[in-house]
Amino acid sequence: MSDNNQLFFKQASDLLSKIEIRYMQADFDEQIELKEERDRAMTVFSQARLAILKENIICTDADVQIMKQLRQQIDSSPDIVQVVATVASFASFVRSRFLS
């Protein structure tokens, strides 16, 4: 596995962990807002990870950078609306890049 693939998986896993933490810290109404996107992101990433491994897709420097940016966005998102938007961006990127 390439170094970029390892970095990509690490960044994406960190991002998913941060999403889960934000979900657990959210109040009930915020959890309702976030749940669908969180679940979608986890499913899409699992599918993409499988595609990357099965099809020997090589992640690029840009892929790693996008994951870093998305992770930073989660860290700096002050409210649940921005968290939901970042989670949707993550799922959309992963789907379009690895599952098309």
Side-chain angles (χ1 to χ4, degrees):
M1 183 182 322
S2 78
D3 287 346
N4 273 349
N5 284 30
Q6 290 178 349
L7 287 171
F8 177 82
F9 288 146
K10 169 97 173 78
Q11 292 294 327
S13 293
D14 288 350
L15 175 66
L16 289 170
S17 292
K18 288 176 184 289
I19 292 167
E20 191 62 25
I21 289 167
R22 291 296 292 264
Y23 178 79
M24 290 186 297
Q25 292 173 339
D27 65 30
F28 182 74
D29 291 335
E30 291 173 334
Q31 286 180 339
I32 290 171
E33 284 184 62
L34 181 55
K35 184 179 185 330
E36 189 175 325
E37 284 301 331
R38 179 200 66 163
D39 292 351
R40 182 178 298 121
M42 290 182 176
T43 299
V44 167
F45 178 68
S46 293
Q47 293 167 343
R49 182 179 174 88
L50 185 60
I52 290 167
L53 294 171
K54 277 189 164 184
E55 298 172 24
N56 293 317
I57 297 170
I58 303 297
C59 297
T60 65
D61 291 341
D63 296 331
V64 173
Q65 188 59 36
I66 289 170
M67 283 300 105
K68 285 180 185 178
Q69 290 170 350
L70 290 168
R71 193 179 49 120
Q72 290 168 349
Q73 286 176 11
I74 287 288
D75 288 340
S76 65
S77 294
D79 61 43
I80 201 68
V81 173
Q82 287 182 327
V83 171
V84 171
T86 302
V87 175
S89 294
F90 167 76
S92 177
F93 165 71
V94 171
R95 185 182 305 109
S96 67
R97 170 67 174 94
F98 301 106
L99 298 176
S100 9

